[in-house]
Amino acid sequence: MLEKMKDEVELISRHLEVARAVADHQPIGIMKLSELLREPSHRIRYSLHVLEQLGYIRASPEGAVATARTVELFTHLNEDLDDLIRLIESMKREE
């Protein structure tokens, strides 16, 4: 069960890394993102697809660009991650 959760967290981490790279280097294409992030293009393509479906990026003729939703995501990211950390910490068994 926890292995599945770890895999999901790693995937979300990659999506966040791609979203951050798009926001910092927009417009940017798959090949440039792949080179920049040192990830295979199929992984970048998948992350871009997920981010587009969630409204964090949009495709343009020049490449991916961030949306206002991405700005909001990164504005509150640390607080949201702190909330998740507290939740996970609360799952620990006290001995």
Side-chain angles (χ1 to χ4, degrees), residues 1 4 7 14-16 22 30 35 42 44 47 49 51 54 56 58 62 65-67 74 77-78 83 95:
M1 174 173 41
K4 173 81 170 142
D7 291 345
R14 188 179 79 223
H15 294 336
L16 287 170
V22 169
I30 293 170
E35 180 182 309
H42 69 276
I44 298 297
S47 289
H49 174 74
L51 292 167
L54 295 172
Y56 292 109
R58 66 176 178 78
E62 297 82 24
V65 294
T67 66
F74 288 119
L77 183 63
N78 287 347
D83 289 344
E95 298 182 46

Side-chain angles (χ1 to χ4, degrees), residues 19-35:
R20 186 174 286 119
V22 169
D24 290 346
H25 302 281
Q26 63 185 327
I28 188 167
I30 293 170
M31 298 311 292
K32 184 69 175 172
L33 277 168
S34 178
E35 180 182 309

Side-chain angles (χ1 to χ4, degrees), residues 79-92:
E79 295 87 8
D80 293 341
L81 289 174
D82 287 341
D83 289 344
L84 285 171
I85 290 166
R86 278 190 289 279
L87 177 61
I88 292 169
E89 286 284 336
S90 75
M91 291 181 212
K92 285 184 175 178

Side-chain angles (χ1 to χ4, degrees), residues 53-72:
Q53 293 298 310
L54 295 172
Y56 292 109
I57 66 160
R58 66 176 178 78
S60 78
E62 297 82 24
V65 294
T67 66
R69 191 162 189 199
T70 303
V71 174
E72 174 128 354

